[in-house]
Amino acid sequence: MKLNLLMSAALKPVLMAPMILAPMAAVAHAETADAVAVSAAVAGDVIYGRVTNASGAPLPGAEVVVRGSGQRVVTNTQGEFTLPTAAGQMVLDIRYLGLPSASQTVVTTPGEDANVAIVLGSASATDVADVIVTGVITDGVARSLNQQKNAEGTVNVLSADAIGRYPDPNVAESLQRVQGIAIQRDQGEGRYINVRGAPSSFTAVSVDGVAIPAVSPSTRAVDLDTLPSDIVSTVEVSKTLRPSQDADSIAGAVDIKTRSPFDKRRLALSGYAGGSYNDYGGSDTRAGATASNVFGPNETFGALLSVSYSETNRRPDNVENAWIFDDRATIGTGSSARANPAFNHYVLEESLFKDYETQRTRKAVTGALEWRPSDALKAWVRGSFAEFNDDEYRDTLRFTYSDGTASGTVTDQAATYTGARIYKALRHREQNNQITTLNAGGEYTFGNGAVWDATLAWAKSEQTYPHRDELVYRSGSQTLSYNTADHYAPTYSAFTEPTGYYLNAANYSFRENTFRTNTTEQEDVSFKTNYELPTIIGGREVTLKFGAKYSTRDVAADEERFRDRTTTAPVNPGALAPLLSDRQSKNYDYDLGVKFDHGLATNYLDGIRGTSTGAASRRTPQSITADYTANEDILSGYGQARLDIGATNVLVGLRVEKTDFEGSATSVSAANVQTPVSVKRDQTDFFPNLTLRHSFSDQLIGRFALTRAISRPDYTDIVPRVLETTDAGRTTVSRGNPDLKPTLSNNVDLGLEYYLRPLGVISANAFYKDLSNYRFTLVTDGVPYVTPTTTVAQVTEARNARDGHLAGIEFNWQQTFDFLPGWASGFGVFANYTLTDAEIKTSRAFAGRNTFTLPGQSDETYNAALFYERYGFSARVSYTHRSDFLEAINATTPGLDLWVEGRGQLDLTASYDFGNGVEVFGEAKNLTDSAGVRYYGVKERTYEYEKFGYNVFVGVRFKL
C-alpha cells in the first residue's frame, strides 16, 4: 500500500506539470550575463565544451544555458559538457559562483561537431561584483557549491582542496564536516559515518562509481578509516537518489572520485610530507604524491599515478566497567543458599584498565589510464588499492568481581566482593584491511547527442587478523570493592590497599594463552550500461535514460579460536616476573604497575603457537559455528525522463532490483556432528522516483523529491549462524535470523537554497523517512537455551521492527565576508546544524517498551568554522559536535541499553603559500582533549571512558 501511494504521488505531478508549472516559466533565469569570453562563431552539430578558470583548472558544476530556449547542461568533474543542438546560431550563457559569468556565440551546421573552450575569470573581467579573491579555501568552496547548486537532487560535495584544509587523515573524518553527517570513532579516529542520523549500514560507498564491499564480517558499513583522504579528487554525497543509482542507500550514497589525468591536461606533479606530535603517544608521519600527464598524437592518452602513506602512533587511556543488573534473590544452592546482597542492583562484573600502544599505517595507490581519441569517445581503466594496518599491544589489568560474591551493603554505585580475582594480561592484536577496485569502461556520444556508456568493475575487500594473541595471568582470591560516585573517575580498593597486592608479580600465576585468527573476504563483480537519448515529446525537449546492472558478490568469513591452560611447560611460561619490563603502566591517574616486556611475551606466544593451536586447544564448536559464506546477486534496471518546464527541472523514473541471496553456516550437535545449514531467498523491489528542482531566481533554488530506497540485512545477521560461547560460567549466544527482512524506506525531501554573491549559501533541507522492517540488534538476558542441555544465556540477534520513522531538518550557512574593508575581507564562515527525530516500533513489547530511539541517531549534529585567506596566508578553526546516540537495545533491562555520549572536537589548520608552488602548513587536532564515552542507560553507569589527546602536525606541500 505504501508503495502504491508513493508511485501515485510520484507520477501525478508529472502528468499535471504542464498545467501547474506553465505560469512559473516567467521566473526563469534572466539572460543578463555580460560577455566576458566571446570568440568567433564556430560551426558544429554537437557542441563539446570545456569550462576552465584563468589558470586552466577545470570548473565542475558550471551551468551552461542556451539563451532563449533555456536548454541547460552542467559541467562534469573535468569541466566538460556536451550539448546536442539544431542548426543555426545560438548563445551559451555560463554561470559559476565566485567568478564572472560568460557567454559564447556558436553557429551550428549539420554534420559537423563543435569544440568550445570557455574561460571564466580572465584578466579582462569587468563584472567585479561576481569576482572573489581566489585562494585554496575559496576555490574549494566554489567547486563544492556550484556542483551542489546545479545538481538534480540534494547533493553535498567535498573537493580535494577543501579536504586538504582540515586535519583529517581519512575519508570518514573529512565527511564529518558535511551537514547532517556524524562519525563513529575507534581510538579517536573516525571509522563509520552516520548520514542524517541513520545507521552506518544505511549508506553505500563507492570509489569511481564502483560499489565497495565492507571489510568487516559483521556489517555492510564500509570502514572509511581504511581510505586516506589525500587520494580523493571529490567526495559526492547524494542524499536523494536518482533512478540511475543503486537503491541500497536509505540515508545517502557516498561516491569517492579519484583524480583524472585530464583534470590538468599537462605534466602535473604535486605532493606533501610532514610529521606530528601526539599528546597521547609518539610521532606521526604522512606523505603523498601525484603525477599525471597527457601524451600521444594530439594528446589523446592520459596517465595518472597517486601514492599515499601515513603512520600514526597512539597511546590512548582507556577504562571500561562492565555492568549487569543482578536480580537473583538468593545465591548458592541447597543448604548453602543465602540472600543475595546485590539483589535488584546494578553492579559491576569487571573493571578493565587498558594501556594501549598502537601503530596504524595507511597505504594507498590509485592509477588511471584514459584514451580520448575524439570528443565523442572516451575509454578508461581505473584502479585503486588501500591498506590499513593496526598493530596493537594492550597491557590490561582486570578486576573480575564476578569470580566472587557480593558482601555487605550493595548500592547502584558501590559494592564489595569476596573471592574476586585480578588478571594481568598482554594482548597482541594486528588487524589488516585491504580494499581494491578496478573498472574498465567507455563512453560514446552519437551524432544526435545520444550517449552510451558501459563499465565492467571488480572490487574486493579483505580483513585479516594475523595476530589476536593473549597471555593471561591470574591472582588468587581477593576482596575487591569499587565506588563509581564520580563516574568519570571511580575509586577501586585495589589501588589503595596498603600492601599493594596487585603490584606484586609473585601473587599471579599463569592462567591461559589464547589465539584467534579471522579472515573475511568479499568480492564483487558488476557490469552496468546506460543509454541516454535527447528527444522531443509533445513539443518539449526530454532526455530519456535507460540502464541495467548486474552484480554478484561472494562473502566468506572464517574464524579460528584456541585456548590453552596447560599447567606444564612449555605452555606454562612459569613465573610472571621474568616476563615484565621496567616500564611503568599508567592509565589516567591509576598506577597499573609495570608493563609486560612486549618482545619477551611475543617471543613466547610465537614459540608456543604451534603447540597451543592444535586440536586439543581448538575451541569448538566456536571455530566452526563462527564461519559463514554468502552469495548475493542483484539484477537491476531503470528508466527515467528528465525535462525542463519553465524554470523547473523534472526528473521522474522507476528502478527495479531483483535480489537473489544464499547463505550457509554449520551447526554442531552435542555429539560433535557437523551439519551444514543454509538459507535461500529472492525478492523483487520497485523504486519510483520524482525529483524536482526549481529556480525561483538565479540565486534561489527549491527542491522536492519523492524516493524509495532499501537496506539489505548484514550478512552475519541473515545467515543461519549460531555462535555460542561460555566463559566463567556465563553463556552468550549470537545468532542469525534467516527470516530477517530488508528495511525499506519511503522518503520525502524538501529544500530551499539561497546562494549568496559572490560566494556563499544559506539553505534549509527537511526530510522524512518512513521505515518498514527496520533492523535493530536485540540483547536478551536469561533466555532458556538448549546447547545440548538447557542453559540460561544472553542472546543477541537482529530483529525487524514493524515500522518507524526518521525525520529532520538541516540548516547550512557558508559565506565569504568580502564586503568587509581591506584585509578583513579575507574572513569567511562555515556553519551547519542538523536536528533529527526518530523512533522504531516493535511488534511486541520488551520490558514494557515497544517504542525505541533509532540506534545510531543523534538528535543534534553541528559544525562551525571560521576561516581567513589573504596574502598567501590561510587559516581555519573548526568545531564539530554530535549529541548522544543509542548503540544497542537491551530487551530485558532498559537500564542496560548501551549509549554513546555526545562529543565535540576543536581543530585548527593554517598555511602559507610562497607563490612558487610551495606551501607550508600546520594542523592541530582535538585541542579540547575530548573523551570518548559509552554508558549503560544513564551516564552514571559509564561503560567506557577513553581519551586520545591532541595532535600537532607540520608539513610542506608542492604543486608543479
Side-chain angles (χ1 to χ4, degrees), residues 36 110 160 217 224 285 307 361 505 546 750 803 844 877 918:
V36 176
L224 288 173
T285 302
V307 296
T361 58
F546 307 94
L750 183 66
D803 56 30
R844 52 163 289 203
V877 59
V918 177

Side-chain angles (χ1 to χ4, degrees), residues 670-886:
N672 204 32
V673 176
Q674 300 181 22
T675 305
V677 288
S678 62
V679 58
K680 291 184 179 180
R681 52 197 286 178
D682 63 83
Q683 181 171 331
T684 300
D685 297 285
F686 296 85
F687 305 95
N689 185 297
L690 171 66
T691 301
L692 303 177
R693 175 188 181 275
H694 181 74
S695 299
F696 293 98
S697 69
D698 187 46
Q699 293 176 262
L700 184 61
I701 307 297
R703 300 183 189 277
F704 176 76
L706 290 172
T707 60
R708 183 174 170 86
I710 190 173
S711 174
R712 299 178 176 88
D714 295 329
Y715 303 115
T716 189
D717 287 339
I718 194 174
V719 295
R721 166 181 174 269
V722 180
L723 176 61
E724 174 200 336
T725 304
T726 301
D727 278 309
R730 185 180 183 191
T731 301
T732 60
V733 176
S734 174
R735 65 187 181 195
N737 180 2
D739 296 325
L740 198 65
K741 299 176 182 178
T743 301
L744 289 166
S745 178
N746 297 324
N747 313 306
V748 180
D749 288 81
L750 183 66
L752 197 62
E753 303 162 359
Y754 184 77
Y755 289 87
L756 305 168
R757 294 186 178 183
L759 189 60
V761 65
I762 297 174
S763 65
N765 290 275
F767 56 91
Y768 183 87
K769 299 179 183 297
D770 181 31
L771 304 171
S772 299
N773 296 315
Y774 176 82
R775 290 189 314 280
F776 66 100
T777 299
L778 189 70
V779 180
T780 309
D781 291 315
V783 177
Y785 182 76
V786 179
T787 88
T789 60
T790 301
T791 61
V792 174
Q794 181 188 78
V795 177
T796 300
E797 68 177 337
R799 299 279 188 92
N800 286 120
R802 69 174 187 266
D803 56 30
H805 76 266
L806 173 61
I809 187 167
E810 300 172 343
F811 299 98
N812 183 39
W813 172 37
Q814 298 184 35
Q815 187 174 7
T816 56
F817 295 160
D818 59 291
F819 52 83
L820 295 176
W823 63 270
S825 62
F827 282 105
V829 66
F830 299 87
N832 57 70
Y833 175 81
T834 302
L835 180 66
T836 59
D837 174 75
E839 66 177 24
I840 56 174
K841 293 184 178 180
T842 56
S843 56
R844 52 163 289 203
F846 299 101
R849 303 175 296 169
N850 70 344
T851 302
F852 300 88
T853 298
L854 189 73
Q857 175 254 332
S858 293
D859 288 345
E860 294 179 312
T861 60
Y862 59 83
N863 292 278
L866 179 68
F867 72 85
Y868 183 81
E869 187 167 54
R870 200 75 188 270
Y871 314 116
F873 173 77
S874 65
R876 180 182 330 213
V877 59
S878 57
Y879 184 80
T880 181
H881 175 82
R882 72 176 300 183
S883 61
D884 298 15
F885 63 91
L886 179 65

Side-chain angles (χ1 to χ4, degrees), residues 584-612:
Q584 287 297 119
S585 183
K586 298 280 291 185
N587 207 316
Y588 299 108
D589 293 328
Y590 303 117
D591 180 5
L592 308 184
V594 295
K595 299 184 180 186
F596 277 85
D597 184 309
H598 294 175
L600 290 176
T602 300
N603 288 340
Y604 159 73
L605 289 168
D606 289 344
I608 206 66
R609 184 187 302 273
T611 303
S612 293

Side-chain angles (χ1 to χ4, degrees), residues 50 66 155 236 252 262 285 426 437 583 586 655 724 877-878:
R50 186 166 187 258
V66 179
V155 172
E236 181 180 291
F262 285 91
T285 302
L426 176 72
T437 68
R583 296 191 300 149
K586 298 280 291 185
R655 185 177 184 89
E724 174 200 336
V877 59
S878 57

Side-chain angles (χ1 to χ4, degrees), residues 88 180 208 217 291 460 470 522 643 663 857 884 949 957:
D208 292 324
K460 182 179 181 180
E470 190 167 24
Q522 299 194 34
L643 66 152
Q857 175 254 332
D884 298 15
R957 300 186 184 100

